[in-house]
Amino acid sequence: MLFRSNIVHGVLFVTHIVASLAATVIVVVMRSEAQGRREAQPSERVNIPRNMAARLFHLIPVTGALVVVTSRGDISWSAPWVSVGMALYLVSAGVLEARALPAECRGDDATVERSVEWTLVLLALAALVMLIQF
């Protein structure tokens, strides 16, 4: 049974890393597209549909929580790096959902760029916290 739980934990850990990287790529692409639209002529602008790919960002805490649960006590909810990671996720998700995505729908590309940059800074801090804990 221990062998199987280690496999599940490992798979979830890799899934957490992949979800984090995919979310980062999506946010970087959002910034690049906003910058390109901002530099485009007004006649070349188009309405942007709701960005559902950015919702992949919300897999980060889900997969992280599953990693903690399947760790069999090796990782504790009370570990400072888990708390800091969750706090940074909440702030970055708030910036993304409250500022970047609505601005993207409105076509306010300057706000999208600024908000996404803050989201990326917070993601980088969370990744740093996760790396330092080892």
Side-chain angles (χ1 to χ4, degrees), residues 37-70:
R37 284 190 307 268
R38 192 170 50 84
E39 294 169 356
Q41 297 297 326
S43 62
E44 296 173 1
R45 292 183 180 225
V46 295
N47 285 340
I48 306 300
R50 181 163 267 232
N51 189 342
M52 296 309 289
R55 290 344 193 259
L56 179 69
F57 193 81
H58 303 303
L59 278 179
I60 296 171
V62 172
T63 56
L66 290 172
V67 168
V68 172
V69 168
T70 59

Side-chain angles (χ1 to χ4, degrees), residues 57-97:
F57 193 81
H58 303 303
L59 278 179
I60 296 171
V62 172
T63 56
L66 290 172
V67 168
V68 172
V69 168
T70 59
S71 73
R72 300 186 136 223
D74 290 339
I75 303 171
S76 170
W77 288 105
S78 62
W81 59 272
V82 173
S83 302
V84 170
M86 284 302 256
L88 288 170
Y89 160 76
L90 289 172
V91 174
S92 59
V95 169
L96 185 69
E97 289 289 343

Side-chain angles (χ1 to χ4, degrees), residues 13-25 56-57 59-60 63:
F13 181 75
V14 170
T15 302
H16 180 62
I17 299 299
V18 169
S20 299
L21 291 173
T24 302
V25 167
L56 179 69
F57 193 81
L59 278 179
I60 296 171
T63 56

Side-chain angles (χ1 to χ4, degrees), residues 80-82 84-85 88 123-134:
W81 59 272
V82 173
V84 170
L88 288 170
L123 267 177
L125 284 173
L128 188 61
V129 167
M130 297 299 145
L131 290 172
I132 289 173
Q133 64 87 23
F134 287 111

